[in-house]
């Protein structure tokens, strides 16, 4: 590596391979809780499922990122979906299969998967 430009190019290439977008102008943001509690509960496969499925479907308008503790450890893995102009949706007790459904139903087709949300989890206690 000889320059800062080479480093930037390498970063962009790796982000493309990971399927993670950090563009602040995206229409939809998916944030996966990746603190130790989330990782212990299985957040890594959830993050991978989102990034791989969105990349496979060519959903370039979606930013996928990770964050630390969201504060509701008993509901991990937790995923928050932000769509411009709408309220945030918090999905809880996620797994890779649920992530695929959220991509299909919520992100692609605009229908919140209500049974995976925190509201449903609290009401079913």
């Amino acid at each position: 590596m000889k320059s800062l430009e080479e480093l930037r190019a390498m970063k962009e290439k790796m982000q493309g391979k990971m399927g993670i977008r950090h563009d602040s102008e995206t229409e939809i943001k998916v944030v996966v809780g990746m603190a130790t509690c989330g990782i212990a509960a299985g957040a890594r496969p959830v993050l991978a499922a989102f990034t791989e499925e969105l990349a496979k479907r060519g959903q370039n308008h979606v930013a996928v990122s990770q964050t630390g503790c969201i504060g509701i450890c008993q509901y991990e893995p937790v995923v928050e979906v932000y769509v411009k102009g709408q309220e945030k949706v918090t999905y809880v007790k996620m797994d890779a299969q649920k992530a695929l459904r959220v991509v299909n139903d919520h992100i692609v087709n605009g229908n919140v998967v209500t049974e995976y949300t925190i509201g449903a989890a609290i009401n079913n206690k």
Side-chain angles (χ1 to χ4, degrees):
M1 190 172 341
K2 296 179 183 176
S3 70
L4 186 56
E5 285 305 313
E6 285 182 48
L7 181 61
R8 285 188 184 127
M10 185 184 307
K11 176 184 173 188
E12 288 177 24
K13 180 180 175 184
M14 292 309 295
Q15 282 179 334
K17 284 185 177 181
M18 291 173 36
I20 297 177
R21 305 283 184 264
H22 295 286
D23 185 358
S24 61
E25 297 302 314
T26 56
E27 297 172 24
I28 300 172
K29 295 180 184 175
V30 177
V31 180
V32 180
M34 293 287 287
T36 54
C37 53
I39 293 168
R44 285 185 203 273
V46 172
L47 178 65
F50 273 105
T51 57
E52 291 167 12
E53 187 66 14
L54 290 165
K56 184 170 80 173
R57 290 173 176 250
Q59 298 291 305
N60 297 328
H61 65 290
V62 181
V64 178
S65 63
Q66 54 189 7
T67 190
C69 185
I70 294 174
I72 48 175
C73 302
Q74 69 271 25
Y75 295 109
E76 292 287 357
V78 176
V79 174
E80 296 177 328
V81 176
Y82 299 85
V83 177
K84 278 191 177 178
Q86 298 178 16
E87 285 191 38
K88 167 186 74 173
V89 176
T90 302
Y91 290 107
V92 298
K93 299 188 181 213
M94 293 294 291
D95 61 32
Q97 286 303 115
K98 290 178 179 179
L100 298 179
R101 181 155 176 224
V102 169
V103 168
N104 185 68
D105 292 7
H106 188 170
I107 295 171
V108 173
N109 293 309
N111 301 311
V112 174
V113 186
T114 308
E115 62 265 31
Y116 298 166
T117 63
I118 191 162
I122 291 170
N123 290 332
N124 289 329
K125 276 193 164 183

